[in-house]
Amino acid sequence: MSRDRKPTLAVWKFASCDGCQLTLLDCEDELLDVADELEIAYFLEASSATVPGPYDLSLVEGSITTPEDAERIKEVRRQSKFLVTIGACATAGGIQALRNFTDVDELLRIVYATPAFLSTLDTSTAIADHVPVDFELRGCPIDRHQLLEVISAFLVGRKPTIPGHSVCIECKLKGNVCITVAHGTPCLGPATHAGCGALCPSFDRGCYGCFGPAETPNIEAMAGALAACGMDDEAVDRLFHTFNAWSEPFRSAPVRVDPPRRKP
Amino acid sequence: MAIVVGADGLEELIGLLRADGRSVIGPVVRDSVITHDEIEHADELPLGWTDEQEGGRYRLVATGTDEIFASATPSTSWKRYVQPERTLLVKARRAGGVIEIVDQQVERPRWAFFGIRSCDLAALGILDRVFLDPSATDPTYAARRADVFVVSAACNTPGNTCFCASMDTGPTPTSGFDLSLRELAADDGIEYLVEAGSDRGADVLASLGGRPATPDDLQRSAACHDIAVQAMGRTLRSEDPPLAAAATDHPRWDDVADRCLACGNCTMACPTCFCSTTEDHTDLSGTETERWRVWDSCFTLDFSHLHGGSVRTSTKARYRQWLLHKLVTWHDQFGSSGCVGCGRCITWCPVGIDLTAEIAALASRQETP
Amino acid sequence: MTHRGGKSRALRTDALARVEGEGAMKIVIEDGELVDVEFAIYEPPRFFEAFLRGRGFEEPADITARICGICPVAYQMSACTAIEDAIGVTVDGPLRDLRRLLYCGEWVESHTLHIHFLHAPDFLGYDSAIEMSTNHRPVVERALEIKKIGNGILETLGGRAIHPVNVKVGGFYRVPHPTELRPLRARLERGLELAIEVVDLVAGFHFPDQEMDHELVSVVHPDEYPVMADRIASDRGLDIHVSEFPDHFEEHQVEHSTALHARLLARGDYLVGPLARYSLNAEKLSPSAGDAARRAGLGATCRNPFRSIVVRAVEVVHAFETGIAIIDGYEQPDRAAVEVAPRAGVGHGVTEAPRGMLYHRYEIGADGLIADAVITPPTSQNQATIEHDLWHFVERNLDLADDELRRKAEVVIRNHDPCISCATHFLDLTVERR
Amino acid sequence: MAHPDLEVGTEAFSGPGPMVPLRYRVRSRRDDLDDTVTLELEPVDEPTARPGPGQFNMLWAFGIGEAPISLAGLDGDVLVHTIRRVGAVTAALCAAVPGDEIGVRGPYGVGWDLDRARGRDVVVVAGGLGLAPVRPIVTELVDHRDQFGRVAVLVGARSPDDLLYRDELAEWRSHLDLDVEVTVDTATPSWRGDVGVVTRLIGRNPNEPANTTAFVCGPEVMMRFCALALIDDGTPPDEIFVSMERNMHCAIGHCGHCQLDALFVCKDGPVLSWPTVEPLLRVRER
Ligand SMILES: Cc1cc2nc3c(=O)[nH]c(=O)nc-3n(C[C@H](O)[C@H](O)[C@H](O)COP(=O)(O)OP(=O)(O)OC[C@H]3O[C@@H](n4cnc5c(N)ncnc54)[C@H](O)[C@@H]3O)c2cc1C
Ligand code: SF4
Ligand code: SF4
Ligand code: SF4
């Protein structure tokens, strides 16, 4: 129960927007305490100084999109005792996994005049598709409180309290009015993993699934409910296929949906 | 003892309760629904509003009248007051291997539940049986429940998803209140029949202005009751739940599992669902910890977690657990149904799954197509 | 990175740290002469412009936010204004004010992060703010407090600091009641006080003399220090409507980088960001910000990239004061958003991200789906200029030891606060001497 | 509908409430197996009520959480618990060393009904860690041997290395009036005993099935097969008792997690008669 030395923390970046690692710097009230408990050994966004591995806790942001990164993540894994992936990029391939559904050469041509300069993989994939991962923290971006929960749980050896149920449960815990029922607003909350604190419904907005699929979502019934709120098939399809598009069962979510079956 | 007061009588009543040091929780319009919140004056009540409720649908609708209680049950149940979403159970510190448990002060609020409906009152009675069990009384619940002054409101216009008449829990409360209200249309506006259900209720009633109720007033109230019973949007036959429980192979179980999102909204909206989980939190240094009780739902995978896998992995099993617990096994456990017929689980289910329809289908021999 | 020639000596650090995102820099010195400087951007391409095609017109605000976690609001605002332009709606009055308020939050948050976490350690000789906190704890605590207030604006209006959820084409999903802003106002007052102290702190840093000679480009507004407006100007006489952007600017690809480089047609490299903003609009700063700038010794213009830290500090003051004024004048609008119905069209939007001008262009079909998208982030506009700065700096400091040279060259890059993930990844630094 | 009379004053609840643990100190620890540890816990403050065989306590590891753990023995006020490391809470409990403090709530649930077995033959069947909850039964049988008829203790383990309480098993075997048989699923070269599942031991002992009370503890499938084998052998179904495991957070019927049809396993169980359990297990995922 006692520690001889401070555990070391490393933060790694792959293809991403940096938002998830920024979340750590956004823990304004706790950042210096975190630094008291963990030696920040490798965190380029915050420090030029780096301490060589191995590291006790690695936070990995971003997805694997290049051959170099596919190799680099293996080295990161070797250097890490406990590896936590943070954010939709790292846990699901992120928004950039939309490339997985199309022809990458075509994408390259749209963006770059001379695609030959670039080396990139056809897919953007989650870290867990490449190396074993000890814990996956979801969200685009991750939630600050959940990040602190993972860190403090790691420090005492507890299982982090990160429930896998729907956003709806958080929404009700918060005392929100369900905007699907009360306003007819399409909301992906019933199929989406909790963690954000039901942010969007709190702003009269339907959840758009940035925390990815919940533990046991019913995709077809969800699609039906969205359609019942007036979304067309393509819009439903796009909603599943945005920030966690490559994560099952969103990945193979139905393209065509029937109106919800309602029993007499 | 019964009296009749005008609309200003409600303001007077709220004033009396507040003067007695109570915070009055009553129905209000918020975010386009009728819910409840602390009120200071009668003009915060939902005058001129009603609701339209259907499976998966709720709309606030103007009545064009001066009625305050023209709606069905409010969107949220009252359990959050007596069994809050999150409750601190234990707080402790550690130095070396030695633990110090920090004493907890339990808050004992003085509430008045104003305008609580019959079904919700019955729901409080059901929660009482769970949490005031003499062999394991929940201190938070007991403290929060101990001094609630109950002003009930009889339902004149039940919603489309209501079926309290089937569950024998409404629409007019018969006990459990300190004061009861019935909104009555009068020639010159709205008036309220006020009856006392307890000594302290009678004390408050005695200080209220108003005229003594006449047999005609009581007659009118009874007529409202009869109309309300007729107006229930749903029914649930009491013989059906055991039949449904016995029909373990009925294809309707698979059918409802296809439609169910397993999102847990029904359990959260239900006024009697009491299940909870515990969460442990530690500070970064690991020297302080708190254990919290948090509402949980039998629709989550963790709910039945055992080392090696959850007991109820399928949505079918989870839906069955919920439905049969509510309507069948609750009788064995607590001597009553766990359902009071408020209809919230129907209205607040995003896909409008209707337990009355499910039970009826499961109880029928007919196979669903 | 490969090193050519037997005589060549290559030095390589793990990465250039303390930039948001990662990129790489390469300096080649041959026989004591500087022959090449490359500021390389290796962020794996994420193809935003490509997969915006076929998405709904409401989606870019959320999708493009994911280009950069440090300045998502900038992306949301540029996207919304461009799309609103395309479908012909104007968002003004309290809704525009709320957008500016939200943007103030991002300026505060982003600038404070850059000033204290990325840049100040360079001036004070530390590797990180956390290390700096051992000797300068109050400075770091103050920075965290300011940053938290900035994030407070983002959270109050947007739900969260990174990728806020409340922004939409036409306005917001939900607008606050004035009472919800009241507690925020009190915090902004506090932020203003602290921000003024920060200006005084950074004004005292030692700045190398280095006046650069780039064309400075910024969004301009007749009355406001620019955040959102529809005109673009430069200190060399450029003065165009945002819709003329494609006629005056071009992006081209360079071999060593996944980010596209932007250029002013027929004029070449230019600089966007705090220096440009300040130099073109200094007189429109809020009163306290103007005072602070004067006290800090900033003139009418500022062309020393090292001093950009002072300009940022001044802009934080401006953001707080502007935020307070917006809250004071706020009346809740009837609707959270202007009605928007998709129609075919092309729209342009430009706003001032913390790092400089951010341009979006969308072509939308009658079905409301996006047919084409162009995004020109500040970092790709500044990339050539950063290389130029580096060249200039390295050339005059060739006698420095490699380590020292590397360290200082990193500072030159950090001066421009390149938001690498807008464009780049991993900053490997290689110095080749042959 | 009436709500029950509310004669609840907070006075009655000024105490800590049923979810607040009492502090115990680890007096000794014994590593039974690679992943299994037996702790002796002595009260720091006042002790809990006296637990009986088959009951369980909620053991709390500071900052980590609680786990339901059966009583494996009692020595005055000292609680004996055997814990297998499967997750975070059990890992923390297994890491405790003498002097560490652990929280205890309990005792909870309905235990083994030994009185019912007095005067009858007794068969105790344990699989794996299931030996821990039945250990107090064997202690009772040994201490009051004259009160029971023929007694058989049948123990199964995956392999000889997974066999719990090896010294004690040897000691029990030394009692001539105790029929102790041990089997393993997979033998090692040095293993001299039986090989095969524990159900195969049923029916070999000389008890009279019709006059036998059986106490069975182990994984759910193992208990089911044992019950079937015992019934096959002639043991009356209502003389067969099993100990059920379900997820538990409160152990006082408030959290709802342990429900098995109408039963709260925490207070109606964990020990349940086979005729009660059998129909419930027939429905998948009940
Ligand atoms: C009546 C009863 C008696 C038991 N007796 C013993 C015993 O004597 N020795 C022993 O080693 N084990 C026993 N168990 C099993 C033990 O309780 C679980 O192995 C333990 O709870 C697992 O917790 P964990 O955190 O280590 O594992 P994880 O699998 O990581 O558990 C995660 C969380 O699930 C929850 N949980 C609640 N109840 C259970 C449960 N029954 N099984 C798994 N998780 C649960 C806890 O909150 C736990 O923190 C018993 C269980 C019951 C119900
Ligand atoms: S998951 Fe989202 S917020 Fe996190 S790094 Fe990826 S794009 Fe950014
Ligand atoms: S608003 Fe969305 S997340 Fe909230 S309860 Fe309704 S469907 Fe679920
Ligand atoms: S409600 Fe949904 S989309 Fe919104 S923040 Fe939460 S998970 Fe993300």
Side-chain angles (χ1 to χ4, degrees):
Chain A
M1 288 184 183
S2 65
R3 289 180 222 130
D4 318 340
R5 61 162 180 91
K6 274 202 221 177
T8 49
L9 169 74
V11 182
W12 308 93
K13 177 187 158 68
F14 290 84
S16 67
C17 81
D18 281 51
C20 288
Q21 49 173 321
L22 179 64
T23 304
L24 186 55
L25 297 180
D26 275 356
C27 301
E28 288 96 1
D29 292 337
E30 300 86 3
L31 185 64
L32 297 178
D33 293 339
V34 171
D36 284 344
E37 301 299 329
L38 282 159
E39 181 184 352
I40 300 182
Y42 189 94
F43 184 10
L44 290 181
E45 187 172 288
S47 176
S48 333
T50 57
V51 179
Y55 308 100
D56 294 298
L57 174 62
S58 272
L59 302 176
V60 179
E61 171 194 271
S63 66
I64 303 301
T65 58
T66 66
E68 297 76 30
D69 281 355
E71 286 309 308
R72 187 161 63 95
I73 186 59
K74 291 183 189 149
E75 182 54 27
V76 169
R77 175 69 264 191
R78 272 191 287 277
Q79 297 276 336
S80 311
K81 289 192 192 142
F82 196 82
L83 190 155
V84 177
T85 50
I86 55 171
C89 295
T91 60
I95 178 88
Q96 57 273 17
L98 286 176
R99 73 166 70 180
N100 304 5
F101 299 87
T102 55
D103 172 9
V104 169
D105 291 339
E106 178 59 29
L107 298 180
L108 282 167
R109 268 193 297 281
I110 294 174
V111 181
Y112 300 98
T114 321
F117 293 168
L118 296 154
S119 107
T120 180
L121 295 169
D122 288 348
T123 53
S124 165
T125 42
I127 300 301
D129 292 345
H130 298 263
V131 294
V133 167
D134 298 302
F135 191 83
E136 294 194 309
L137 185 61
R138 316 270 219 95
C140 182
I142 54 169
D143 176 79
R144 185 172 67 211
H145 305 287
Q146 290 209 319
L147 178 62
L148 286 168
E149 166 62 12
V150 168
I151 294 175
S152 26
F154 166 80
L155 287 169
V156 295
R158 176 161 49 82
K159 184 167 150 189
T161 303
I162 307 286
H165 56 61
S166 67
V167 173
C168 294
I169 290 182
E170 289 192 294
C171 198
K172 286 278 188 291
L173 285 174
K174 206 172 173 183
N176 281 350
V177 170
C178 174
I179 54 172
T180 289
V181 172
H183 310 164
T185 305
C187 179
L188 201 54
T192 301
H193 196 287
C196 67
L199 264 187
C200 293
S202 313
F203 281 86
D204 283 348
R205 171 181 195 179
C207 168
Y208 58 91
C210 79
F211 273 61
E215 54 194 11
T216 55
N218 183 339
I219 295 298
E220 293 203 17
M222 185 70 254
L226 295 167
C229 290
M231 276 187 117
D232 64 39
D233 291 358
E234 285 74 27
V236 168
D237 199 43
R238 291 199 301 269
L239 189 56
F240 281 117
H241 296 132
T242 314
F243 303 107
N244 291 275
W246 201 240
S247 168
E248 287 291 13
F250 283 6
R251 189 202 296 190
S252 41
V255 181
R256 247 178 35 75
V257 295
D258 295 321
R261 292 191 301 134
R262 204 160 272 179
K263 293 281 163 172
Chain B
M1 186 180 165
I3 62 168
V4 172
V5 300
D8 51 352
L10 297 189
E11 176 68 18
E12 199 186 338
L13 175 53
I14 293 168
L16 284 171
L17 294 168
R18 287 174 53 79
D20 187 31
R22 296 185 180 276
S23 50
V24 179
I25 315 291
V28 293
V29 172
R30 294 255 190 290
D31 297 328
S32 26
V33 296
I34 296 169
T35 173
H36 28 70
D37 204 345
E38 178 160 1
I39 54 170
E40 295 182 5
H41 297 286
D43 61 5
E44 296 165 63
L45 296 166
L47 183 138
W49 292 106
T50 186
D51 48 36
E52 265 176 28
Q53 300 195 33
E54 240 326 312
R57 189 172 189 279
Y58 181 109
R59 292 293 180 278
L60 195 62
V61 180
T63 56
T65 73
D66 287 343
E67 288 161 287
I68 284 170
F69 298 115
S71 53
T73 44
S75 63
T76 31
S77 84
W78 299 78
K79 71 180 173 191
R80 55 195 310 225
Y81 294 100
V82 286
Q83 195 223 5
E85 290 88 339
R86 311 177 63 83
T87 314
L88 180 60
L89 295 173
V90 182
K91 188 179 164 78
R93 297 192 195 97
R94 173 172 69 183
V98 177
I99 294 168
E100 180 205 347
I101 292 170
V102 183
D103 276 343
Q104 277 298 114
Q105 227 42 54
V106 180
E107 191 195 355
R108 190 184 178 180
R110 295 196 75 214
W111 279 315
F113 288 175
F114 189 91
I116 184 172
R117 303 310 174 97
S118 191
C119 55
D120 284 346
L121 199 48
L124 282 182
I126 287 174
L127 290 180
D128 289 349
R129 239 162 282 168
V130 178
F131 292 115
L132 301 181
D133 173 356
S135 68
T137 306
D138 182 73
T140 307
Y141 183 92
R144 293 177 151 251
R145 184 70 174 93
D147 195 11
V148 177
F149 189 99
V150 174
V151 182
S152 65
C155 271
N156 290 344
T157 46
N160 225 337
T161 53
C162 289
F163 56 104
C164 65
S166 301
M167 305 314 290
D168 212 12
T169 55
T172 307
T174 52
S175 67
F177 54 81
D178 296 294
L179 288 176
S180 78
L181 304 175
R182 161 83 72 188
E183 194 164 48
L184 294 169
D187 300 338
D188 49 352
I190 302 289
E191 51 188 26
Y192 297 89
L193 175 69
V194 189
E195 289 174 279
S198 70
D199 291 347
R200 60 180 185 174
D203 290 346
V204 175
L205 189 128
S207 11
L208 267 182
R211 60 171 173 81
T214 63
D216 174 58
D217 296 325
L218 299 177
Q219 187 78 50
R220 284 193 295 151
S221 175
C224 287
H225 172 86
D226 293 342
I227 294 170
V229 169
Q230 291 309 312
M232 292 285 146
R234 298 286 202 274
T235 49
L236 194 142
R237 300 189 319 157
S238 59
E239 59 271 34
D240 281 354
L243 294 173
T248 49
D249 296 331
H250 204 294
R252 183 76 175 203
W253 291 116
D254 290 309
D255 182 87
V256 68
D258 282 349
R259 284 173 285 132
C260 174
L261 297 163
C263 64
N265 270 304
C266 47
T267 57
M268 296 283 124
C270 176
T272 68
C273 273
F274 60 81
C275 290
S276 61
T277 184
T278 36
E279 288 181 357
D280 291 89
H281 296 281
T282 39
D283 67 343
L284 284 159
S285 68
T287 54
E288 282 195 19
T289 190
E290 290 179 354
R291 308 203 74 223
W292 286 81
R293 177 175 69 195
V294 185
W295 285 4
D296 200 5
S297 169
C298 51
F299 281 92
T300 72
L301 204 52
D302 269 351
F303 190 84
S304 61
H305 169 89
L306 287 182
H307 170 65
S310 291
V311 175
R312 289 185 281 272
T313 53
S314 69
T315 299
K316 176 180 164 180
R318 290 182 238 165
Y319 187 81
R320 182 184 58 213
Q321 162 62 25
W322 175 73
L323 186 72
L324 296 185
H325 181 220
K326 198 101 292 193
L327 292 169
V328 181
T329 55
W330 208 293
H331 285 277
D332 304 307
Q333 296 170 343
F334 301 106
S336 76
S337 168
C339 173
V340 294
C342 73
R344 285 191 183 88
C345 62
I346 306 173
T347 301
W348 298 98
C349 170
V351 288
I353 293 174
D354 175 351
L355 83 169
T356 65
E358 298 311 319
I359 278 289
L362 287 160
S364 71
R365 304 239 144 247
Q366 243 171 297
E367 308 281 272
T368 41
Chain C
M1 208 136 285
T2 54
H3 313 295
R4 287 158 284 171
K7 282 196 300 169
S8 76
R9 192 157 64 89
L11 275 153
R12 175 180 173 150
T13 54
D14 251 354
L16 172 58
R18 286 184 286 122
V19 291
E20 302 97 342
E22 291 154 5
M25 174 171 72
K26 180 173 156 190
I27 297 165
V28 185
I29 300 160
E30 209 167 75
D31 300 329
E33 286 256 318
L34 182 63
V35 294
D36 198 14
V37 169
E38 281 179 7
F39 173 41
I41 289 184
Y42 288 127
E43 174 78 15
R46 289 170 80 210
F47 306 115
F48 278 88
E49 291 156 319
F51 54 61
L52 280 168
R53 291 187 181 181
R55 305 294 299 204
F57 74 97
E58 318 89 335
E59 294 185 81
D62 292 313
I63 291 180
T64 62
R66 269 66 179 187
I67 292 175
C68 174
I70 326 290
C71 55
V73 171
Y75 283 87
Q76 296 185 324
M77 292 304 153
S78 288
C80 285
T81 45
I83 291 161
E84 285 152 8
D85 181 36
I87 58 186
V89 295
T90 318
V91 175
D92 50 17
L95 291 176
R96 179 171 183 275
D97 288 341
L98 284 179
R99 284 182 164 180
R100 284 170 58 220
L101 178 57
L102 185 71
Y103 223 137
C104 285
E106 181 154 293
W107 276 24
V108 169
E109 189 276 331
S110 171
H111 277 354
T112 304
L113 178 78
H114 187 261
I115 294 167
H116 296 88
F117 282 78
L118 313 180
H119 216 183
D122 285 337
F123 290 99
L124 297 172
Y126 295 93
D127 287 321
S128 73
I130 289 158
E131 190 199 323
M132 197 166 85
S133 74
T134 48
N135 293 330
H136 298 272
R137 190 142 181 136
V139 171
V140 176
E141 281 174 350
R142 180 174 60 203
L144 288 167
E145 190 178 347
I146 297 173
K147 197 161 123 24
K148 190 176 169 186
I149 300 170
N151 280 343
I153 302 177
L154 294 162
E155 283 159 8
T156 306
L157 285 184
R160 62 184 170 200
I162 302 167
H163 309 330
V165 301
N166 194 18
V167 171
K168 71 185 283 196
V169 175
F172 293 88
Y173 288 91
R174 181 179 168 278
V175 286
H177 190 266
T179 53
E180 291 175 65
L181 297 182
R182 227 174 277 148
L184 192 58
R185 190 192 188 285
R187 295 175 66 191
L188 297 193
E189 291 273 7
R190 167 84 181 145
L192 179 59
E193 258 170 56
L194 299 175
I196 291 171
E197 293 171 19
V198 171
V199 176
D200 296 340
L201 169 81
V202 299
F205 289 169
H206 171 75
F207 302 103
D209 273 335
Q210 190 179 2
E211 294 280 306
M212 301 308 298
D213 188 31
H214 317 290
E215 181 159 2
L216 302 172
V217 178
S218 143
V219 174
V220 288
H221 185 278
D223 314 311
E224 295 165 2
Y225 194 80
V227 187
M228 290 177 291
D230 57 10
R231 291 203 75 80
I232 301 167
S234 84
D235 61 342
R236 309 227 172 115
L238 180 80
D239 183 8
I240 57 168
H241 187 257
V242 54
S243 58
E244 297 169 85
F245 185 97
D247 308 331
H248 293 266
F249 296 84
E250 70 157 11
E251 278 192 301
H252 64 277
Q253 192 187 357
V254 290
E255 190 164 352
H256 59 261
S257 188
T258 55
L260 299 170
H261 280 198
R263 241 188 344 223
L264 255 170
L265 277 175
R267 302 155 83 125
D269 302 344
Y270 61 99
L271 182 75
V272 298
L275 292 184
R277 231 166 12 226
Y278 177 84
S279 297
L280 271 74
N281 306 280
E283 75 286 359
K284 299 198 183 75
L285 282 168
S286 72
S288 307
D291 290 348
R294 273 183 293 280
R295 261 204 324 282
L298 291 177
T301 60
C302 177
R303 291 186 158 277
N304 181 347
F306 289 92
R307 276 189 197 275
S308 65
I309 190 171
V310 184
V311 177
R312 282 191 193 90
V314 166
E315 287 189 338
V316 174
V317 174
H318 172 80
F320 278 128
E321 206 165 29
T322 307
I324 292 168
I326 291 172
I327 292 177
D328 288 343
Y330 176 66
E331 276 175 37
Q332 188 174 0
D334 299 339
R335 280 183 308 179
V338 179
E339 203 73 55
V340 281
R343 66 158 203 224
V346 173
H348 310 260
V350 70
T351 67
E352 281 290 338
R355 281 149 204 83
M357 189 167 84
L358 167 61
Y359 168 78
H360 285 220
R361 173 188 176 279
Y362 295 96
E363 192 183 323
I364 298 168
D367 52 3
L369 299 185
I370 290 165
D372 189 45
V374 175
I375 297 166
T376 309
T379 298
S380 68
Q381 301 180 65
N382 282 348
Q383 205 168 326
T385 305
I386 295 173
E387 281 184 3
H388 186 269
D389 269 17
L390 270 176
W391 188 289
H392 189 83
F393 179 84
V394 175
E395 206 168 34
R396 295 191 309 169
N397 292 282
L398 285 176
D399 48 335
L400 289 179
D402 280 353
D403 260 354
E404 189 59 14
L405 182 62
R406 179 168 44 216
R407 203 179 165 98
K408 293 228 157 112
E410 284 181 9
V411 181
V412 171
I413 293 181
R414 273 199 286 277
N415 282 338
H416 295 287
D417 187 12
C419 176
I420 306 282
S421 43
C422 299
T424 74
H425 193 56
F426 237 119
L427 232 129
D428 278 324
L429 172 69
T430 314
V431 179
E432 271 187 39
R433 291 178 196 261
R434 303 186 195 133
Chain D
M1 176 186 274
H3 72 80
D5 291 338
L6 278 169
E7 284 151 24
V8 289
T10 41
E11 297 70 39
F13 307 101
S14 52
M19 290 297 283
V20 178
L22 291 167
R23 296 181 302 170
Y24 273 68
R25 191 179 297 117
V26 176
R27 185 171 79 174
S28 76
R29 106 179 231 133
R30 182 183 72 215
D31 287 79
D32 295 310
L33 307 173
D34 279 354
D35 61 355
T36 307
V37 169
T38 294
L39 299 178
E40 287 187 323
L41 304 173
E42 60 190 2
V44 174
D45 312 312
E46 80 271 33
T48 66
R50 190 182 164 81
Q55 286 194 299
F56 66 97
N57 284 314
M58 294 299 280
L59 299 192
W60 173 59
F62 180 95
I64 316 289
E66 281 186 340
I69 302 292
S70 298
L71 184 75
L74 196 61
D75 175 7
D77 279 342
V78 173
L79 305 169
V80 182
H81 285 292
T82 297
I83 305 145
R84 175 153 69 206
R85 193 189 318 115
V86 299
V89 176
T90 46
L93 293 171
C94 285
V97 294
D100 281 352
E101 287 185 7
I102 279 175
V104 178
R105 294 192 292 125
Y108 294 120
V110 175
W112 307 109
D113 188 356
L114 281 172
D115 288 340
R116 179 184 186 110
R118 284 181 220 281
R120 298 170 59 86
D121 291 353
V122 178
V123 174
V124 177
V125 193
L129 191 67
L131 189 55
V134 299
R135 182 176 171 267
I137 305 181
V138 182
T139 311
E140 175 74 13
L141 294 172
V142 170
D143 288 355
H144 302 101
R145 187 62 195 85
D146 52 331
Q147 297 179 7
F148 301 90
R150 280 159 291 192
V151 171
V153 178
L154 315 178
V155 178
R158 261 174 301 159
S159 75
D161 293 338
D162 293 312
L163 201 54
L164 210 55
Y165 305 152
R166 262 166 276 181
D167 295 348
E168 252 172 313
L169 282 172
E171 201 273 325
W172 294 346
R173 276 194 155 130
S174 70
H175 295 257
L176 295 177
D177 51 2
L178 218 54
D179 181 10
V180 179
E181 296 187 46
V182 180
T183 179
V184 297
D185 298 347
T186 334
T188 48
S190 57
W191 178 250
R192 301 266 170 272
D194 277 300
V195 179
V197 290
V198 72
T199 41
R200 296 195 12 205
L201 302 178
I202 292 170
R204 298 198 334 206
N205 39 297
N207 62 318
E208 186 192 322
N211 190 37
T212 294
T213 301
F215 300 113
V216 185
C217 190
E220 205 167 294
V221 272
M222 167 264 175
M223 293 194 293
R224 187 160 67 224
F225 285 113
C226 287
L228 295 178
L230 284 161
I231 292 167
D232 249 14
D233 190 39
T235 311
D238 59 354
E239 289 298 333
I240 301 171
F241 294 87
V242 298
S243 180
M244 295 298 291
E245 182 182 351
R246 281 296 178 270
N247 186 295
M248 287 175 194
H249 282 275
C250 70
I252 52 177
H254 289 181
C255 81
H257 287 240
C258 69
Q259 286 177 79
L260 174 58
D261 199 61
L263 303 170
F264 285 102
V265 171
C266 71
K267 50 181 200 181
D268 301 320
V271 174
L272 293 160
S273 79
W274 183 244
T276 310
V277 173
E278 189 273 334
L280 304 181
L281 297 186
R282 247 187 270 151
V283 177
R284 275 193 63 209
E285 299 202 336
R286 174 107 80 189

